[in-house]
Amino acid sequence: MRKTIYKTISILIIMIVATGCTPMVNKYRVSIDAINNPKQNIAPSTYQIKPLGTNTDANSLEFLRHSSQLIEILNRQGYSQPYTPESAEQTIYFDYGIEKVKEETRTYTEPNISFGFSHGYYHPFWSDFMYSGYSTYQKTYTLYNRYIEILAKNQAGKELWRVDVSSVGESKDLKNIVPILLEGATEYIGKNTAKPVNLVIKEKRKVKDKR
């Protein structure tokens, strides 16, 4: 059993060293639901962006940041912004948010093991270990639904297409999560999904400025 403990500890140290040298990349499971109106012209055209939710301030820094990311996506797909918002052929309503969906407490049990370091001939890394039963502890997890909604209407107010993207997880950091959700929506703007599409999207690594 002692050899097994030593082997386990060795593996743990190797894992810690490896993860310390290699940046961890977060992954997000997202669900995408898209629908369009086949009786209307849904081709890319000129557009303006407005908040979909009544509680969202179009002039807030947060909305401007997230909507600028949506603008980049729309422009890459052939949409363009007119000289004046009033002349836009489409109004694209955009909203994002977070809501608590679940809270649960889990109980964990783990063995109490203590050991020391030595440099002896027979034990080059660790000295004898001591086992003293088990410890039980609880941890509470809170899950949130992070979502975005994108809805396009023509000048007559008729709905053209809509994309809803959501992801359930522990993080409440919309600054990092909204770009992930927008990335998930990119390929489905103006499209129609027969059923929700589930994807796993990796968070893009941030490149540090070396200047």
Side-chain angles (χ1 to χ4, degrees):
M1 182 176 178
R2 181 177 299 178
K3 291 182 179 179
T4 302
I5 294 294
Y6 289 161
K7 184 177 180 181
T8 301
I9 295 173
S10 300
I11 293 174
L12 288 174
I13 289 182
I14 292 173
M15 291 176 63
I16 292 172
V17 172
T19 54
C21 299
T22 305
M24 298 294 290
V25 177
N26 293 325
K27 297 180 181 180
Y28 297 87
R29 295 182 180 275
V30 301
S31 178
I32 306 159
D33 194 9
I35 189 171
N36 61 27
N37 188 343
K39 297 182 180 180
Q40 298 292 329
N41 179 15
I42 60 174
S45 61
T46 57
Y47 70 96
Q48 63 173 328
I49 293 181
K50 289 185 176 182
L52 178 61
T54 56
N55 296 326
T56 302
D57 182 4
N59 296 315
S60 69
L61 295 177
E62 184 180 59
F63 182 81
L64 293 174
R65 177 179 60 206
H66 295 319
S67 60
S68 67
Q69 297 162 353
L70 176 58
I71 288 172
E72 292 180 5
I73 293 172
L74 293 170
N75 291 347
R76 289 200 302 265
Q77 297 201 4
Y79 290 83
S80 60
Q81 293 179 290
Y83 290 106
T84 59
E86 294 75 18
S87 61
E89 297 176 75
Q90 295 186 26
T91 298
I92 297 180
Y93 296 91
F94 175 50
D95 195 19
Y96 51 87
I98 185 169
E99 54 190 6
K100 181 179 176 180
V101 294
K102 186 178 182 181
E103 184 174 279
E104 63 179 32
T105 300
R106 299 177 186 175
T107 301
Y108 299 90
T109 301
E110 60 183 20
N112 297 324
I113 299 176
S114 60
F115 57 92
F117 291 93
S118 67
H119 299 280
Y121 180 77
Y122 294 102
H123 305 291
F125 296 105
W126 301 281
S127 63
D128 204 0
F129 66 90
M130 183 171 60
Y131 170 74
S132 57
Y134 291 86
S135 292
T136 300
Y137 66 95
Q138 292 183 326
K139 185 176 180 180
T140 299
Y141 297 88
T142 303
L143 298 179
Y144 301 91
N145 179 41
R146 297 78 57 95
Y147 65 87
I148 62 170
E149 301 171 327
I150 310 172
L151 171 64
K153 294 184 179 182
N154 61 17
Q155 292 177 328
K158 294 185 177 181
E159 295 187 359
L160 303 178
W161 53 264
R162 179 183 181 115
V163 183
D164 293 271
V165 187
S166 62
S167 174
V168 175
E170 293 183 75
S171 175
K172 298 189 292 181
D173 189 358
L174 289 179
K175 182 179 179 180
N176 289 331
I177 296 174
V178 168
I180 298 292
L181 301 179
L182 284 170
E183 181 181 345
T186 301
E187 298 299 322
Y188 298 91
I189 289 176
K191 303 295 178 59
N192 190 16
T193 57
K195 59 182 180 180
V197 177
N198 297 314
L199 300 176
V200 176
I201 301 177
K202 293 182 179 180
E203 184 178 30
K204 295 181 180 179
R205 295 178 183 175
K206 297 180 180 179
V207 179
K208 294 183 178 180
D209 190 350
K210 297 182 180 180
R211 291 179 297 176

